[in-house]
Amino acid sequence: ADSLALLALRQSAIDSVALVRSALAGRAELLRARALHASGRAPDARAAAGRAATALANGYGPRHAWTRWARGLIDSTHVASRE
């Protein structure tokens, strides 16, 4: 899943600002964050979820379900890294 998410991310990176403003890039980062989290790579998952939250908030808005999901994943990886 991580490699598919990276492929989607590359396709959505039309220009330099697309990675932080594109909802599609945010969705790809969220998919990558979920895959990294599932494989036990909490710090990498947290970083990907942070990038996802930024792009999704810019693309869909801060209250959109996927934006909230990305922020929730950031919080859950903080908890997982402390255990």
Side-chain angles (χ1 to χ4, degrees):
D2 184 35
S3 60
L4 290 175
L6 284 173
L7 180 61
L9 186 61
R10 285 187 202 113
Q11 292 299 316
S12 66
I14 297 168
D15 57 33
S16 61
V17 296
L19 295 177
V20 295
R21 292 191 178 170
S22 167
L24 293 177
R27 289 171 60 187
E29 281 287 11
L30 181 57
L31 176 62
R32 184 162 188 249
R34 291 177 58 204
L36 291 166
H37 184 64
S39 66
R41 295 172 54 189
D44 295 329
R46 187 171 37 256
R51 291 187 299 270
T54 299
L56 289 166
N58 287 324
Y60 287 136
R63 294 183 180 194
H64 191 276
W66 282 337
T67 306
R68 292 192 321 259
W69 192 359
R71 289 187 179 134
L73 188 55
I74 294 167
D75 293 341
S76 70
T77 57
H78 276 295
V79 171
S81 66
R82 290 184 204 152
E83 294 175 348

